[in-house]
Amino acid sequence: TFVNFLHGRVPLLANIPRPRNTPRLSGTMVATLSDAKEAIARLARHADLQVAIAGLFLAMYAQTIAHSCTLKLNQFRRQDGSMQAKFHGDWIPLDALTDRLICQYQPEYAERGNIERDELFFSRSSATLRQEVAATSGIALKPLRLAAISNLLRSGMTDRGAIVYYLGISMPTIEDVE
């Protein structure tokens, strides 16, 4: 009402964005736990390791495919016997399945522990990986990512600031899933 009043009385050069009339419904889009587990199993068995790893990053660490495609070789390392990734702010340990697939994809991590080259980790394009991960998982990518956030919250990672810092997930998305 106030914006209509302004437009009638004062010539404005820019449009004023209206607030959302409907609330975000991302909390209702979360895939079920059983569907997410089945998707992870299908992704882990995929023949193309790039699709499998990108899918696991999405389904277990809530990393978008677009962000995963920007990761570099030097953002992964082996320390204290486990593989670690620097998705956003600091190093985060990866699970054994993802560790095994990364070492199959890049055997240098198993041999030396890290790769200091500043090259992209994935050689395939974001659009190609997005299509193949969606086809393999059998679930749309957004509900699968929201299920990953939900699983992180259920597993005891309840510090919102830490989730934002380590994984780069926005605070409103975390609040919606909660």
Side-chain angles (χ1 to χ4, degrees):
T1 306
F2 178 70
V3 174
N4 289 335
F5 171 78
L6 279 179
H7 279 293
R9 308 243 179 338
V10 179
L12 298 174
L13 299 176
N15 287 333
I16 299 172
R18 292 178 173 265
R20 292 183 181 187
N21 292 333
T22 57
R24 291 185 304 255
L25 299 174
S26 18
T28 61
M29 293 178 59
V30 178
T32 63
L33 182 60
S34 61
D35 288 344
K37 284 182 179 180
E38 290 172 11
I40 289 170
R42 282 191 297 270
L43 287 165
R45 290 189 306 263
H46 197 277
D48 186 358
L49 291 175
Q50 289 190 38
V51 173
I53 294 168
L56 290 178
F57 286 167
L58 175 76
M60 296 175 77
Y61 301 101
Q63 299 301 303
T64 62
I65 302 295
H67 180 262
S68 295
C69 287
T70 64
L71 293 173
K72 307 275 174 96
L73 289 172
N74 59 8
Q75 289 178 294
F76 296 91
R77 70 178 182 189
R78 177 169 297 288
Q79 187 172 9
D80 299 330
S82 70
M83 189 63 121
Q84 297 178 348
K86 191 172 185 179
F87 290 124
H88 192 261
D90 205 356
W91 296 98
I92 185 167
L94 301 177
D95 62 292
L97 175 62
T98 309
D99 183 347
R100 183 174 49 84
L101 292 176
I102 288 174
C103 289
Q104 287 176 4
Y105 176 60
Q106 292 286 342
E108 293 177 61
Y109 289 117
E111 296 166 6
R112 294 195 329 227
N114 62 351
I115 300 174
E116 293 299 325
R117 294 192 308 263
D118 195 27
E119 300 171 12
L120 290 176
F121 184 76
F122 294 109
S123 62
R124 302 182 69 188
S125 71
S126 174
T128 305
L129 284 175
R130 190 178 305 118
Q131 289 173 347
E132 291 191 28
V133 167
T136 304
S137 67
I139 302 174
L141 299 182
K142 186 171 183 175
L144 188 58
R145 181 173 186 255
L146 295 174
I149 297 168
S150 175
N151 290 337
L152 288 169
L153 293 170
R154 270 192 227 122
S155 69
M157 194 174 190
T158 57
D159 184 6
R160 293 180 188 168
I163 294 172
V164 170
Y165 178 71
Y166 285 104
L167 298 174
I169 301 167
S170 71
M171 192 68 72
T173 304
I174 297 169
E175 290 171 357
D176 284 350
V177 172
E178 283 181 333

